[in-house]
Amino acid sequence: MKYDICIIGSGAGAGPIAYELTKAGKKVLILEKGAIYSEKDFSKDEIAFVRRYIVTPKLKDEYHVIEEKIDGKWYKFPTYETGWSFWNGNILGGSSNFMSGYFHRLKPNDFKLKTVYGKVEGANIEDWPISYEDMEPYYTKVESRVGVSGSITEYKHHEPRSTKEYAYPALEEHPIVNLFDKSCKNLKYTSYKVPRAIISTAKDKRNPCYYSNYCGSYACSSGAKGSSRASLLVDALQTGNLTIKAEAFVYKLDSSKDEVTKAYYFTKEGTKKEVEAKLFVMAAQAVESSRLLLNSKNKFYPNGLANSSNQVGRNMVFTGGGIGSGEFDESNLTKEELFTQGFFVNRALKDWYYTNDFKGGTVDFLFEHANPIRRANSLKRDDNGNLLYGKALQDKLHENFTKKRVLTFEVFTDWMPNDDCFVSIDEKYKDKYGVPVANIRIGAHKQDVKVGKFLAKKAMKVLKQMGAKNIDANISPLPSQNLQAGGCRFGDNPKTSVLNKYCQSHDLKNLFVTDGSFMPTGGSVPHTWTIYANSFRVADYIKTIL
């Protein structure tokens, strides 16, 4: 069978395409690398879902190679040696199943950073070929279709909206937000209420959040979290127009000079198969999408499919910044208040999203992950690095689990795309299928750390005002592996970009890329809401040409 559309991947960049085009009567095929899970398969089992390879490949079988600069030289480290996995959820719905769901829109100036701030030496910043006004209706669509809850915070950098409220009421909040709000007021900071891609009231067959206390890094067993699977693909299947082939690893695309003709994939058993379609959409997450194109070189595109510009894999965008924390005990809140479980903090600082001199960013606040094994493991040594055991370990665990809680913050800066942050392939490193793996060079721009430290100081002032103890921060140039963008940036010039403004290949008219790969810059926020919105936008365009 020749499908109308073949989508590679099933996450935030894929779901809207499948949803919209199946509703329009088109026959859509999804090739998903992982298995199909549903709510009944998900639990809050830290061993199963966090510490073992249940929803990601074993690194000894399928890995990446990370290039780091040490003492002025680049060195390669296969991730099976380091354990630093860049896989983020190989199941139906992809990494959207495991996101925390902190949803922030980009702002009008995010689409034109080069115009607003000018060229930054050593960075490859470009304006987007579209504007915030082009995206606004689709951000709004995501609020209702995927499900975004919250309450509006008016502040100086707030982006224009076409609706007065989010689609769903705000989630229940932990008592510590009262202390946070009061402290921000005293500092003359804005306490920004963070919208979440988690529904607070029932929607169709999805149940509202039940406040399990295990959210980020875990798939949602109620359907409240706005994963591509729960919010879009379940409905797309009901049309009868969607076919899903799970555990199908696409390793190559074939093409003529003008069109993609076939996708080749391995089944779970290692059997090679192929599929034909009128139109192909890549949404495998940014690193893997670049890898697939580079591995699909042919006589028409000897440097990689859709790569006449030699820009495929270039200008990767992660999220710069770091983390920080402070401890709270019964001197700050009553024990009953402090140990209220499950309710969210949902607060951020965004007063410095823009500054007069440089692009700033966002700081999200949240309690440390509840994972007891990880927490206990982090406490196994004393201040001198000596291993604790017996009563000393028992007392330390009891103190940390029953008498205090750690409020953390995550800093998001606008990662500067640069010549030393890219994906390539190296024939020396291959996965279990014999396919070259992605080689990821993770060079960061010094601006990322500068802005991260600036924002961390603001966050630490809030924690100090709240009365936190043992306040600390760690700002790092290393990327966050779960937030990936760039590698196939879009633009108007085919010589300097891979895709046009509709995320359509400049080279191949029936090839689109709708994961985060299209983004020239990432904004100072997680990328997921923008990926969802853009995919809905591209779906509308595809309807006009197919």
Side-chain angles (χ1 to χ4, degrees), residues 64-298:
H64 299 95
V65 175
I66 307 302
E67 272 194 273
E68 291 189 68
K69 197 171 191 178
I70 302 174
D71 296 330
K73 294 183 179 180
W74 292 98
Y75 294 89
K76 295 188 177 187
F77 301 95
T79 54
Y80 60 74
E81 293 180 355
T82 64
W84 189 13
S85 179
F86 273 67
W87 297 110
N88 294 301
N90 288 171
I91 65 173
L92 186 67
S95 60
S96 67
N97 287 289
F98 306 101
M99 65 179 178
S100 296
Y102 291 92
F103 264 32
H104 300 271
R105 296 184 180 200
L106 297 189
K107 303 179 186 304
N109 282 351
D110 284 325
F111 294 78
K112 49 185 179 182
L113 281 188
K114 188 175 182 180
T115 297
V116 173
Y117 286 106
K119 182 176 174 60
V120 177
E121 185 177 353
N124 301 326
I125 297 172
E126 294 293 341
D127 291 345
W128 290 36
I130 62 173
S131 68
Y132 176 80
E133 289 72 25
D134 294 322
M135 286 283 277
E136 199 285 331
Y138 298 102
Y139 280 126
T140 300
K141 188 169 190 173
V142 173
E143 290 184 16
S144 59
R145 184 60 251 167
V146 174
V148 176
S149 64
S151 56
I152 302 295
T153 304
E154 295 293 346
Y155 75 113
K156 61 183 177 181
H157 300 310
H158 200 276
E159 63 277 0
R161 292 180 53 87
S162 57
T163 59
K164 293 183 178 180
E165 298 293 341
Y166 295 110
Y168 294 85
L171 295 157
E172 295 287 343
E173 296 177 344
H174 189 277
I176 203 168
V177 301
N178 297 318
L179 183 56
F180 185 92
D181 293 345
K182 180 181 178 181
S183 298
C184 283
K185 185 177 181 180
N186 290 338
L187 291 168
K188 294 183 170 51
Y189 293 175
T190 302
S191 175
Y192 180 86
K193 298 178 180 179
V194 181
R196 301 291 293 274
I198 303 169
I199 55 175
S200 54
T201 57
K203 172 180 171 54
D204 303 325
K205 295 181 180 179
R206 295 167 60 193
N207 294 314
C209 181
Y210 64 97
Y211 306 101
S212 70
N213 206 39
Y214 291 80
C215 193
S217 302
Y218 289 89
C220 185
S221 54
S222 72
K225 190 185 295 185
S227 71
S228 171
R229 177 194 54 80
S231 65
L232 298 169
L233 297 181
V234 169
D235 286 346
L237 282 167
Q238 299 305 309
T239 66
N241 292 323
L242 177 61
T243 301
I244 299 172
K245 292 185 184 292
E247 297 176 299
F249 166 50
V250 180
Y251 64 92
K252 185 178 180 180
L253 300 177
D254 204 359
S255 80
S256 65
K257 188 176 186 342
D258 302 316
E259 290 188 338
V260 176
T261 54
K262 292 180 181 179
Y264 298 90
Y265 65 94
F266 286 104
T267 66
K268 181 182 179 181
E269 295 75 26
T271 304
K272 291 182 178 181
K273 293 195 173 184
E274 62 185 57
V275 65
E276 296 182 357
K278 297 176 184 176
L279 187 146
F280 290 81
V281 177
M282 289 180 50
Q285 208 166 39
V287 167
E288 287 297 298
S289 286
S290 285
R291 175 198 180 194
L292 177 55
L293 290 177
L294 292 171
N295 277 326
S296 298
K297 59 187 177 183
N298 58 32

Side-chain angles (χ1 to χ4, degrees), residues 72 359 368:
K359 172 67 189 297
E368 71 173 331

